[in-house]
Amino acid sequence: MKLAPKYKGRSIEGVGGTRLFVEEHGDPSKPAILWIHGICQSRLAWDRQFEDENLGAQYHLIRLDLRGHGLSDKPTDLRAYQNSKIWADDIQAVIDALHLHKPFLVGWSYAGHILCDYVQCWGQDNLSGLIFVDAASDAGREEVLPLFGGDFLQLIPGFLSPDYAQWMTALQQFVDLMTYEGVDPQTFYQMVGFGAVTLPATRQGMLMREMDNRAVLESITIPTLLLHGRNDRVILSAASDYIARYIPHTSRIVYDQCGHTPFLEQVSQFNRDVAAFLQQVYP
């Protein structure tokens, strides 16, 4: 596959020898931002952030394809996706391989779980801050089901199904749910394409996890920002209310007329908000 020549891409070794594909952009001497995508998507979710001249000039941008996604290896055993330490150690492998000094972690959607995995396993002393983007922290418990959109929850059987036709139907409906007004055909089929290459083991392993991260959230003392589309039909804005309940010092921005992807739907404002938050830490 041809890679964009303006980004430095390579594979590094994650847990169990799983190769993780990462890309870098910007000056490595600048503060680092590690962008982590959601379930059944890829590093390309962050294209519009990597293309932003201001972010590229001021920060060292890094993005990866999570295990089971994109150009990264795709283990066929669902146990390779179910353990908090696996996800946390994959992120630490990226930090170590690229010699990142106290990066900011940005987690979209499912990656909210991964931010919590990381803090639980590695702590927060080696991070500068956390940004949760339309993210969930907890899952698999009856009391947190109301934090997820009903239309999305109806798609879960398709996500878990080994039947490709059933999965593809659910995937296209999932992509339709993501935005407030829809996306252009090229973006739609890019998102569908990256979802299509995820294996049943990946989807099952990720979605069968039960997570109670309340104690983890309460432990967070570093700068934290919550960004959420008010009209998100996948992970409701109530999920940010939930996280804010346990991280009282967090800042929060809600985007009107915006769905699950503010980094795609309201690019300029989203990028400005991220930069403003980082500048509070590195003025």
Side-chain angles (χ1 to χ4, degrees), residues 246-268:
Y246 296 101
I247 314 178
H249 70 273
T250 190
S251 301
R252 184 177 180 188
I253 298 171
V254 177
Y255 299 95
D256 291 325
Q257 297 185 327
C258 182
H260 192 55
T261 59
F263 52 86
L264 174 64
E265 298 173 76
Q266 298 197 18
V267 177
S268 297

Side-chain angles (χ1 to χ4, degrees), residues 31-107:
I33 312 173
L34 177 54
W35 306 82
I36 309 171
H37 66 80
I39 191 169
C40 298
Q41 287 303 297
S42 78
R43 72 193 187 283
L44 299 185
W46 308 111
D47 272 351
R48 289 157 183 83
Q49 285 62 59
F50 268 54
E51 294 163 358
D52 186 280
E53 292 183 1
N54 180 51
L55 290 177
Q58 296 190 58
Y59 303 102
H60 179 203
L61 309 181
I62 306 97
R63 60 185 182 179
L64 81 154
D65 285 329
L66 294 170
R67 60 175 48 230
H69 297 76
L71 297 180
S72 292
D73 283 350
K74 301 171 180 62
T76 57
D77 186 341
L78 62 83
R79 291 174 295 182
Y81 306 95
Q82 290 187 301
N83 189 285
S84 291
K85 187 163 172 54
I86 289 174
W87 292 106
D89 287 358
D90 274 354
I91 298 303
Q92 187 62 39
V94 174
I95 292 172
D96 290 342
L98 303 184
H99 307 291
L100 306 182
H101 174 67
K102 298 194 72 168
F104 292 86
L105 299 186
V106 182

